[in-house]
Amino acid sequence: MRAADGGARLLLHIQISQGEQANREILTAFAARLSHVPQCGALSECEYKDLVAEDQMTKALDMGLRLLGAGAVSQVRLIQKMQQRGVGKEIATAAAAELFARGYADEAAGALREAEKGIGKLWGDRRILLDVRAKGYGEASLVAVKNFLLAQNAVKRCEKLIARRRMALPLTEADAARFVSSLVRYGYTVHEIKQAISQKNEH
């Protein structure tokens, strides 16, 4: 057994002997997660299984930290990404829960960043909320996003989208139906669209 990363980790060199055959492996564990420091010497089968489980958890925590370093994600999405990389669901769930509990990620802050991206794309509030929910953010985060969106001007955003897409204002009822339908897909309500059209006509 030896320490690594300034003592934060323990590298456990294990030899499993069966008759004349001997297999060797190195297991890793975060020292702070262990209830006691393992003693050098013979291990029982139960002790070995516990150390293997801890090694899997350590690797999952490492992976989770790397994924969080690449960008904010919800706890649900982090679990999914870890599973896609071969981590079992139970370990991925436990690792993600520990990382969020220790403050390595903030769900509400991540959800708000996603909402800001949606605003940058000139999406309506409905589409932004659907996008945030689809990325696995929970109800508490959605409440934070809703409160954030209340302070934004959705009508002005809709007006900017009309200008960016160079959409000609409708002259007939058929044109109006298509015009509204197109903007509804971006997440705007009919009321917001009508207000945007009205303001654009005033200009």
Side-chain angles (χ1 to χ4, degrees), residues 50-64:
D50 287 345
L51 291 175
V52 168
E54 196 57 42
D55 177 74
Q56 292 173 339
M57 184 66 168
T58 301
K59 288 172 180 170
L61 289 167
D62 280 339
M63 181 185 293

Side-chain angles (χ1 to χ4, degrees), residues 102-149:
R102 289 179 179 271
Y104 287 103
D106 182 335
E107 276 228 340
L112 289 171
R113 279 194 288 274
E114 294 299 334
E116 288 169 353
K117 290 179 188 175
I119 285 176
K121 296 173 184 175
L122 299 181
W123 288 354
D125 293 356
R126 287 179 175 177
R127 183 164 177 179
I128 290 171
L129 285 166
L130 283 171
D131 180 64
V132 171
R133 187 185 294 276
K135 288 176 177 170
Y137 289 97
E139 288 304 318
S141 298
L142 288 169
V143 168
V145 171
K146 287 175 185 176
N147 290 334
F148 167 72
L149 291 175

Side-chain angles (χ1 to χ4, degrees), residues 1 10-15 25-30 33-59:
M1 178 172 63
L10 293 177
L11 302 181
L12 307 168
H13 296 253
I14 310 290
Q15 178 175 299
E25 61 182 309
I26 299 175
L27 302 179
T28 309
F30 284 117
R33 281 183 46 84
L34 297 174
S35 59
H36 63 279
V37 177
Q39 298 299 310
C40 291
L43 293 171
S44 69
E45 188 174 345
C46 183
E47 288 173 324
Y48 172 69
K49 285 181 178 178
D50 287 345
L51 291 175
V52 168
E54 196 57 42
D55 177 74
Q56 292 173 339
M57 184 66 168
T58 301
K59 288 172 180 170

